[in-house]
């Protein structure tokens, strides 16, 4: 397998499409591309937003629909193992993020799961740190202004419910803020490990340790990490984590999310949305709530079986890389792809004042490259999409390109940059139709 150093050297030296094709021929992960449906004429650089459709998903969903639902009907809750799917798929995701079997479960959305863990953690913190009459400042939840908006909204609402405030610090200020003995006490640090806008990676272990030193819980959103970069929740000693199923896990539009609580906390917490499937014995139909042991009590309502089925197919496309080096190999390939993209953009689009927003150090970068343009970035992305190169735009000025290492080839990177150069050089993006905003950017 080529080492990361070799991949990066190749990226530096590539000056032709043929060289990219040669890199693809040598790519030990190359065969895994066949796991995905590849629409003709499309270079898909948005797997960080919605992962590509795995080939086997449609067949598997059809089996579940026609066989398990159509023929098995309600018996399939027992006979087809539907009841176990949230833990079954959770155990597969656990392998990708350094959690142990039984610790991680699939349910709800990332937003809802973040609310559950944050409320649970804050209640635990309050129990351990009861308010004293001499307290002058309300305790806080710390996050970053650039965190994904849903995380900030959820943090605001969960914090306000229990009398906490949300305090936002830029990345460079997080560590000094957590270490400041004179500032308001911090109950929880809520961060997204890989920044959705820039792709910058936070050090999970270091910041979790800083949170702990401040007496705070470390709560991580792994939306852009799971299936993208190596994550080891236990090694990092994180407290809680949530993440998306539809991005690098390829689970399909609106796929359910996941939630993990460290075993030292899980049974000490009470998640706020007590639902019947989180009950210790849902089919006793008891009037009083009694939470199930372990992460199962983070379930609320009935699991979405069709979506869970699609998510399982998606997660398996990532697990297929395990014998080939797993997440380390996938991230190494993504670093090769992103490095190549950055270098080719620098070489072929140098007249257009594009600015690199993502970290220059590949090790600090998730599977994406973000560029900023003084021109109309939205229109440029739309013009690219019309030419089959699908990236996305994040307000106010970010052109975002995702590099899912499973389906993408080095030639795709070459072709995408050449198209970007053509769109910029020709000025076709200036056509007013590209400026018309769609609901989803
Ligand atoms: C970092 C991050 N967190 C959360 C979400 C939203 O998750 P959900 O829609 O599942 O609540 C996104 C969506 O893109 C995201 O990028």
């Amino acid at each position: 397998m080529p080492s990361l150093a070799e991949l990066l050297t190749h990226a530096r030296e590539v000056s032709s499409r043929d060289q990219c094709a040669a890199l693809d021929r040598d790519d030990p992960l190359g065969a895994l591309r066949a796991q995905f449906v590849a629409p003709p004429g499309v270079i898909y650089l948005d797997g960080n937003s919605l992962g590509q459709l795995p080939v086997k998903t449609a067949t598997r969903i059809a089996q579940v629909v026609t066989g398990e639902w159509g023929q098995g009907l309600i018996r399939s809750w027992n006979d087809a193992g539907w009841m176990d799917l949230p833990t079954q798929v959770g155990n597969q995701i656990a392998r990708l993020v350094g959690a142990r079997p039984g610790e991680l479960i699939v349910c709800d959305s990332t937003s809802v799961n973040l609310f559950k863990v944050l409320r649970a953690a804050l209640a635990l913190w309050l129990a351990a740190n009861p308010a004293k009459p001499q307290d002058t400042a309300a305790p806080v939840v710390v996050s970053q202004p650039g965190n994904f908006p849903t995380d900030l909204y959820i943090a605001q609402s969960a914090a306000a419910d229990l009398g906490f405030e949300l305090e936002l610090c830029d990345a460079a200020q997080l560590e000094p803020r957590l270490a400041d003995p004179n500032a308001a006490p911090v109950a929880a640090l809520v961060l997204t490990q890989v920044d959705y806008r820039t792709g910058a990676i936070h050090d999970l272990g270091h910041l979790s340790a800083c949170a702990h030193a401040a007496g705070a819980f470390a709560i991580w959103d792994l939306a852009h990490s799971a299936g993208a970069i190596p994550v080891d929740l236990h090694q990092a000693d994180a407290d809680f984590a949530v993440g998306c199923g539809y991005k690098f896990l390829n689970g399909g539009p609106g796929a359910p999310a996941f939630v993990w609580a460290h075993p030292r906390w899980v049974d000490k917490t009470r998640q706020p949305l007590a639902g019947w499937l989180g009950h210790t014995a849902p089919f006793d139909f008891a009037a009083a709530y009694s939470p199930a042991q372990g992460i199962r009590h983070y379930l609320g309502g009935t699991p979405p079986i069709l979506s869970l089925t699609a998510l399982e197919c998606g997660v398996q496309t990532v697990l297929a890389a395990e014998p080939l080096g797993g997440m380390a190999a996938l991230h190494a390939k993504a670093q090769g792809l992103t490095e190549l993209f950055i270098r080719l953009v620098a070489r072929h689009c140098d007249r257009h004042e594009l600015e690199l927003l993502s970290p220059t150090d590949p090790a600090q970068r998730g599977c994406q490259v973000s560029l900023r343009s003084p021109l109309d970035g939205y229109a440029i992305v739309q013009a690219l999409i019309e030419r089959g190169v699908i990236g996305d735009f994040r307000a106010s000025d970010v052109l975002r390109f995702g590099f899912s290492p499973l389906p993408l080839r080095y030639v795709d990177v070459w072709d995408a940059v050449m198209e970007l150069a053509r769109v910029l050089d020709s000025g076709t993006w200036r056509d007013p139709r590209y400026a018309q905003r769609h609901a989803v950017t």
Side-chain angles (χ1 to χ4, degrees):
M1 188 187 309
S3 68
L4 177 59
E6 281 168 327
L7 287 176
L8 297 179
T9 309
H10 290 320
R12 259 194 295 282
E13 289 163 358
V14 166
S15 58
S16 73
R17 194 178 191 278
D18 284 348
Q19 283 174 295
C20 293
L23 285 176
D24 288 324
R25 278 194 297 278
D26 292 345
D27 176 7
L29 300 172
L32 299 179
R33 171 179 164 78
Q35 299 184 102
F36 296 92
V37 173
V42 168
I43 298 172
Y44 192 61
L45 304 184
D46 221 353
N48 52 323
S49 201
L50 173 65
Q52 259 170 266
L53 171 65
V55 172
K56 72 175 176 190
T57 303
T59 317
R60 181 71 194 118
I61 292 274
Q63 283 167 351
V64 174
V65 170
T66 57
E68 296 180 11
W69 178 15
Q71 303 302 312
L73 292 164
I74 202 161
R75 292 169 292 189
S76 289
W77 283 107
N78 293 317
D79 300 348
W82 285 356
M83 251 353 212
D84 298 327
L85 266 187
T87 16
Q88 185 178 308
V89 182
N91 286 342
Q92 294 168 40
I93 296 173
R95 277 155 58 183
L96 301 173
V97 296
R100 298 182 190 131
E103 290 179 359
L104 186 151
I105 203 155
V106 176
C107 54
D108 300 319
S109 62
T110 305
S111 309
V112 172
N113 286 332
L114 182 60
F115 182 78
K116 290 188 285 192
V117 295
L118 181 54
R119 273 290 299 263
L122 293 181
L124 211 54
W125 190 90
L126 276 180
N129 301 273
K132 300 184 202 77
Q134 66 270 28
D135 287 347
T136 48
V140 298
V141 172
V142 168
S143 190
Q144 263 184 284
N147 199 349
F148 190 77
T150 206
D151 296 49
L152 298 180
Y153 307 153
I154 292 287
Q156 255 159 30
S157 70
D161 276 356
L162 294 176
F164 292 80
E165 280 176 12
L166 177 63
E167 186 179 321
L168 302 180
C169 303
D170 287 332
Q173 293 310 312
L174 286 168
E175 221 181 303
R177 167 59 184 95
L178 289 168
D180 183 351
N182 300 316
V186 184
L189 174 68
V190 177
L191 292 175
T192 297
Q193 188 196 9
V194 179
D195 188 297
Y196 81 101
R197 248 203 205 101
T198 65
I201 303 177
H202 276 306
D203 185 332
L204 202 72
H206 180 64
L207 282 168
S208 295
C210 293
H212 293 164
F217 290 103
I219 302 179
W220 291 97
D221 180 341
L222 303 180
H224 297 267
S225 313
I229 64 170
V231 176
D232 192 329
L233 286 167
H234 275 282
Q235 196 179 54
D237 201 26
D239 297 302
F240 299 91
V242 297
C244 288
Y246 47 77
K247 297 177 187 293
F248 292 97
L249 297 180
N250 308 313
F258 64 86
V259 56
W260 172 83
H262 194 285
R264 67 176 163 248
W265 304 125
V266 70
D267 287 322
K268 294 201 170 82
T269 57
R270 270 289 186 113
Q271 66 108 338
L273 304 175
W276 74 303
L277 285 188
H279 192 279
T280 186
F283 286 87
D284 282 359
F285 296 105
Y289 182 69
S290 161
Q293 287 287 297
I295 197 68
R296 230 189 142 81
H297 83 265
Y298 279 77
L299 285 181
T302 307
I305 297 304
L306 300 181
S307 302
L308 272 161
T309 300
L311 176 57
E312 184 168 40
C313 295
V315 172
Q316 285 172 357
T317 62
V318 186
L319 291 175
E322 272 184 342
L324 301 166
M327 287 315 309
L330 285 170
H331 189 217
K333 178 173 171 191
Q335 290 176 73
L337 295 170
T338 53
E339 193 68 9
L340 177 63
F341 182 82
I342 291 167
R343 289 177 183 281
L344 291 177
V345 167
R347 207 175 304 152
H348 296 274
C349 308
D350 57 332
R351 293 190 297 114
H352 300 285
E353 297 175 61
L354 293 171
E355 183 193 335
L356 177 65
L357 272 188
S358 302
T360 46
D361 175 0
Q364 300 297 317
R365 200 161 63 217
C367 301
Q368 74 178 67
V369 176
S370 299
L371 303 172
R372 185 185 273 149
S373 167
L375 309 172
D376 183 349
Y378 179 79
I380 295 170
V381 168
Q382 291 307 311
L384 273 175
I385 291 174
E386 198 173 275
R387 285 156 182 77
V389 179
I390 303 182
D392 63 27
F393 176 77
R394 288 293 171 262
S396 56
D397 55 3
V398 179
L399 294 80
R400 198 174 68 149
F401 301 96
F403 292 86
S404 206
L406 284 168
L408 278 174
R409 300 169 301 188
Y410 291 91
V411 287
D412 297 323
V413 175
W414 177 273
D415 292 342
V417 176
M418 295 310 131
E419 205 53 65
L420 176 61
R422 273 192 288 276
V423 162
L424 290 169
D425 290 345
S426 65
T428 42
W429 61 270
R430 292 182 195 278
D431 188 316
R433 76 178 190 281
Y434 296 129
Q436 275 164 24
R437 295 285 166 133
H438 301 292
V440 175
T441 61

